[in-house]
Amino acid sequence: MKTPLNILVVEDSKDDAELLLRAVKQAGYEASYSLVQNAKAMSSELGRKSWDLVISDYVIPGFGGLAALKVLQESGLEIPFIIVSGKIGEDVAVEALHSGANDYLLKDRLTRLGPAIDRALKEASQKRKRSQAEQALRESEERYRRLVESCPDAMFITSDNTIVFANPAAVSLLNAASPIDLVGKSILEFTDANFRDLVEEHLRQALEGLDGPLLEEKMLRTDGTAVMVEAIARRINYHGDPAVQVLCRDISTRKHFEAQLLNSQKMEAIARLAGGVANDFNNLLTVITGYSGLIRSGLQPEHPLQKDIQQVIQSTERAIGLTNQLLALSRKEVAAPEALNLNVVLDQILPLVRRLMGENIETVANIPNVSCHIRADRGQLETVIINLAAHARDSMLHGGQLTLTTENLKLSRALHNQVHLRPGEYILLTIADTGLGLTEEYQEHLFEPFFGTTQPGKNTGLGLATVYAIVKQHGGQISCISEVGKGSVFKIYFPAHKPSQRETVTPPIRTATGGRQPVVLLAEDEEVLREFANLILRKHGFHVLTARDGTEALRLADQFDGQVDVLFTDVVMPKMNGTELYKHFTQKHPNTPVIFTSGYPRNILIESGLEDRPDYEFLQKPYTTQNLIDKIREVISLHRPSGS
């Protein structure tokens, strides 16, 4: 089977053209051809179809073989070109080959045409393959160049630890103006002194072909600042010589978030511990407070033990303040939220802040004449302001200025700096001082309990830890910007709140009217506390049914012939806890009000599986005699039918 071949013949003699085609056929090819005699016709035919071969006579009136070769070359097509001639000198043949012809032969020796075509086609095929390989190589190099230049990770190539290449990301990482600032310098020059030995060993192992692990190191920018990176080094060939390719990724942001997560977990663990301690401590304080009040009420005003009892009560009140701070750490929700104007709260507490700061510290309040409404617990909000003011006072040993500022803030997009805020409206409270300032180390641990302050030998206690917890419970964010010698600025972002009309109206509390003796079902597992509550309630005219746990309380309610007016129960109890008791009790007594009490904050009810509903009340331990009586009477009054 003959090989098909498309031939463009440049010839002015049809007889000579037929001789050429006969020779092609004898060589084993099935030729399809076109005959042209000038440059215009040749250019037209070259663009009309795909040609395998061009055969041209050397001498054509007004044209010729070299001219035809030039037309082919100008077309940009890579087609084998063979020149034939009646007679041609050696110098002309050499010129033709130098010009780009694949071969030449004489018309009286056309037996050589077949081998010449074979050789020309083979050379053309090889040339195309080389061209394709070169093009593929160029494209590969271009892809690699673009990959390196667009790579978000910094890439260095080093030879003997000297930088010989740096991509744009590397220039940006080290804050250089261009690669010129880096090339020719040792990569160790941009490595923190504490990491240089480790990095040098990492590079040496990479050059030996050992694939080392990811390495975390600190690099130094051209401006002297440091950046934490994750690096990996691999051996490569660079311009024929062994070299090391180093890829570095900036992990400063990741490290920052990891530190925040670790601190959050640490604060959560502290909160759980604080809540447990406060719960047990509150049970004891309730008993101490209650019985101290009973003893004092039983003594004459001039009795010598009155002063001693007063000291016990005052010490207990200080202990209650400490447990309240512990509870603030453990709370996940605000204790008693209400709609507040932050500017009004700040204005009312300013006299106390000024007394706290003393005469040598000036207190300045920049309070705009606008409303800054938030939903917050007033007592906790005042605790935040006082604790931050106390922290500022301790840093201004020789006087200074404390500045308190409020403003309405509207974010159209998320804020991610020291704080992370979604778009929305916020109230910003700024408390700034001109004190000693804080080092970076202290700022990292600033909101941890009992971490040292700027004053040697002194610690913050629970102050700033309480501030942090309260702000978080209110859905806010807090940040501190401080520099040694230049003071500190605390910024607190509270979600803005639009108070409804209902929030501005306090419903009247109806007092209980006369009638039968009210019945209280008391469930408390602490024996001393149970006896105290029983004693107080009986002294104030209540009939009390006491139970050690939820199971016993249900049994007493079933056995009692009369009506129970209120269930007063602890939350955490053995056998059956308070929330389980509530669910069983209200099934049989749906109209009987329930009061929960606990040393834990109110959110212990939700954590115990109870929905936050308005059909029960909560009394925080430690409670005083008056707190207990007032709460019981208030609840019974609100649930007692009119006229009873």
Side-chain angles (χ1 to χ4, degrees):
M1 183 177 179
K2 295 182 179 295
T3 304
L5 193 66
N6 291 328
I7 304 175
L8 180 60
V9 180
V10 185
E11 177 63 71
D12 61 339
S13 170
K14 290 185 178 181
D15 294 337
D16 288 349
E18 289 178 357
L19 289 173
L20 287 173
L21 293 172
R22 190 180 299 118
V24 170
K25 188 174 182 180
Q26 290 173 351
Y29 293 98
E30 187 68 39
S32 172
Y33 75 98
S34 289
L35 186 64
V36 296
Q37 299 177 6
N38 55 57
K40 184 176 180 181
M42 182 178 177
S43 296
S44 177
E45 284 296 322
L46 285 173
R48 189 175 65 85
K49 62 184 295 186
S50 177
W51 300 100
D52 299 317
L53 180 67
V54 177
I55 300 178
S56 175
D57 191 0
Y58 183 74
V59 179
I60 300 175
F63 197 33
L66 293 181
L69 178 60
K70 187 175 181 181
V71 171
L72 176 62
Q73 291 172 340
E74 289 177 350
S75 72
L77 299 173
E78 295 185 357
I79 304 173
F81 190 92
I82 297 176
I83 294 178
V84 295
S85 179
K87 61 178 181 178
I88 186 171
E90 185 177 341
D91 55 340
V92 176
V94 171
E95 181 185 359
L97 294 175
H98 283 170
S99 297
N102 292 81
D103 207 346
Y104 71 91
L105 60 149
L106 297 175
K107 289 183 178 181
D108 58 358
R109 297 180 183 178
L110 290 181
T111 53
R112 290 186 56 245
L113 184 57
I117 292 175
D118 292 341
R119 186 170 56 252
L121 293 176
K122 184 177 181 180
E123 289 176 355
S125 176
Q126 292 174 344
K127 186 176 182 180
R128 280 195 300 271
K129 290 179 180 179
R130 285 196 302 271
S131 178
Q132 291 171 354
E134 290 171 356
Q135 178 64 24
L137 179 61
R138 286 193 296 271
E139 291 176 355
S140 176
E141 290 175 344
E142 178 64 15
R143 285 195 300 270
Y144 180 75
R145 183 186 66 80
R146 291 188 178 184
L147 178 64
V148 169
E149 290 183 352
S150 62
C151 179
D153 292 334
M155 179 187 295
F156 303 91
I157 296 178
T158 66
S159 177
D160 294 329
N161 296 343
T162 300
I163 300 173
V164 295
F165 172 83
N167 72 343
V171 174
S172 176
L173 176 70
L174 297 184
N175 199 27
S178 71
I180 298 175
D181 295 338
L182 307 178
V183 173
K185 297 180 180 179
S186 173
I187 195 170
L188 299 177
E189 183 179 331
F190 300 99
T191 305
D192 185 271
N194 296 322
F195 293 88
R196 283 176 189 165
D197 291 342
L198 185 61
V199 171
E200 190 171 17
E201 177 63 18
H202 197 58
L203 294 173
R204 185 191 65 78
Q205 291 182 4
L207 191 61
E208 292 178 356
L210 301 175
D211 292 341
L214 284 172
L215 176 68
E216 290 187 1
E217 58 165 302
K218 187 178 289 185
M219 297 193 75
L220 302 175
R221 295 188 175 102
T222 55
D223 59 3
T225 59
V227 57
M228 201 70 187
V229 301
E230 188 176 64
I232 190 168
R234 292 291 183 267
R235 176 191 171 104
I236 63 169
N237 285 327
Y238 187 71
H239 296 319
D241 296 322
V244 176
Q245 181 189 62
V246 183
L247 288 174
C248 297
R249 176 172 296 175
D250 185 350
I251 58 172
S252 302
T253 302
R254 191 183 81 192
K255 285 293 183 183
H256 172 70
F257 284 124
E258 286 176 354
Q260 282 190 328
L261 176 61
L262 181 62
N263 184 64
S264 176
Q265 292 172 337
K266 184 163 45 178
M267 294 297 291
E268 183 69 21
I270 292 172
R272 286 195 297 269
L273 174 64
V277 171
N279 176 61
D280 293 341
F281 199 34
N282 275 337
N283 286 334
L284 299 175
L285 290 176
T286 302
V287 175
I288 296 172
T289 303
Y291 277 106
S292 297
L294 286 176
I295 294 172
R296 185 173 63 177
S297 64
L299 297 175
Q300 295 297 326
E302 65 277 3
H303 197 283
L305 291 179
Q306 281 282 7
K307 292 184 178 180
D308 297 333
I309 294 297
Q310 183 62 30
Q311 286 295 326
V312 173
I313 293 175
Q314 289 177 354
S315 298
T316 306
E317 289 173 350
R318 287 195 293 270
I320 290 172
L322 178 59
T323 50
N324 285 336
Q325 292 193 54
L326 287 172
L327 285 172
L329 287 176
S330 67
R331 285 191 180 108
K332 291 183 176 64
E333 61 178 25
V334 186
E338 58 180 313
L340 296 173
N341 186 341
L342 179 58
N343 289 342
V344 173
V345 175
L346 199 59
D347 185 62
Q348 293 174 349
I349 202 174
L350 269 177
L352 176 60
V353 173
R354 288 193 170 99
R355 288 196 299 272
L356 176 68
M357 303 312 290
E359 296 181 357
N360 62 337
I361 297 177
E362 180 186 8
T363 301
V364 178
N366 297 323
I367 304 176
N369 189 24
V370 294
S371 296
C372 293
H373 284 110
I374 62 175
R375 184 168 173 78
D377 180 294
R378 184 186 182 96
Q380 289 185 333
L381 185 59
E382 292 176 347
T383 298
V384 168
I385 298 171
I386 293 298
N387 284 0
L388 288 176
H391 179 270
R393 178 200 60 195
D394 293 340
S395 71
M396 293 185 284
L397 303 177
H398 305 292
Q401 180 175 296
L402 176 72
T403 305
L404 300 94
T405 307
T406 62
E407 63 176 297
N408 285 281
L409 186 65
K410 187 173 184 178
L411 295 180
S412 58
R413 58 181 181 178
L415 177 64
H416 299 289
N417 193 0
Q418 282 195 327
V419 294
H420 304 280
L421 298 173
R422 296 179 178 178
E425 296 183 5
Y426 296 87
I427 304 300
L428 173 60
L429 170 62
T430 304
I431 299 180
D433 65 66
T434 58
L436 299 174
L438 302 170
T439 64
E440 289 186 7
E441 177 191 0
Y442 280 100
Q443 291 182 58
E444 291 177 0
H445 302 277
L446 186 60
F447 298 113
E448 295 179 13
F450 301 104
F451 191 80
T453 66
T454 51
Q455 299 185 55
K458 193 168 183 178
N459 59 56
T460 64
L462 293 172
L464 294 185
T466 303
V467 168
Y468 179 87
I470 291 174
V471 170
K472 288 295 183 180
Q473 290 152 22
H474 285 77
Q477 296 280 344
I478 182 171
S479 69
C480 175
I481 302 172
S482 185
E483 188 175 343
V484 175
K486 296 185 178 180
S488 303
V489 178
F490 287 87
K491 291 181 176 291
I492 305 174
Y493 301 82
F494 291 107
H497 176 69
K498 294 181 180 179
S500 63
Q501 184 177 3
R502 182 177 59 84
E503 288 177 307
T504 61
V505 179
T506 303
I509 298 177
R510 291 173 289 154
T511 57
T513 60
R516 63 175 179 79
Q517 189 179 31
V519 178
V520 178
L521 176 56
L522 169 65
E524 172 64 63
D525 62 312
E526 286 284 345
E527 183 179 356
V528 178
L529 193 54
R530 186 172 64 250
E531 290 179 357
F532 163 70
N534 182 24
L535 175 63
I536 294 301
L537 291 171
R538 289 183 182 278
K539 284 189 65 173
H540 286 80
F542 294 94
H543 179 73
V544 184
L545 306 174
T546 60
R548 290 169 292 184
D549 53 57
T551 304
E552 186 175 356
L554 287 177
R555 181 174 56 79
L556 288 175
D558 291 340
Q559 294 175 353
F560 185 63
D561 292 333
Q563 176 186 342
V564 175
D565 292 281
V566 64
L567 168 63
F568 182 60
T569 176
D570 192 9
V571 177
V572 181
M573 294 185 296
K575 295 184 180 180
M576 180 185 291
N577 62 34
T579 56
E580 292 173 339
L581 169 60
Y582 166 83
K583 293 174 183 177
H584 287 87
F585 181 81
T586 52
Q587 287 180 356
K588 295 184 178 181
H589 309 276
N591 297 322
T592 302
V594 178
I595 303 174
F596 289 103
T597 184
S598 179
Y600 289 104
R602 183 187 178 96
N603 63 296
I604 185 64
L605 298 172
I606 299 175
E607 293 175 1
S608 299
L610 196 65
E611 295 180 3
D612 192 4
R613 292 159 48 181
D615 58 350
Y616 59 77
E617 296 286 340
F618 185 80
L619 181 61
Q620 177 74 60
K621 295 177 182 178
Y623 50 77
T624 63
T625 299
Q626 197 61 46
N627 293 150
L628 175 61
I629 298 304
D630 289 346
K631 175 62 73 172
I632 296 288
R633 285 176 174 169
E634 174 188 336
V635 169
I636 292 178
S637 171
L638 288 172
H639 288 79
R640 177 170 292 181
S642 300
S644 61

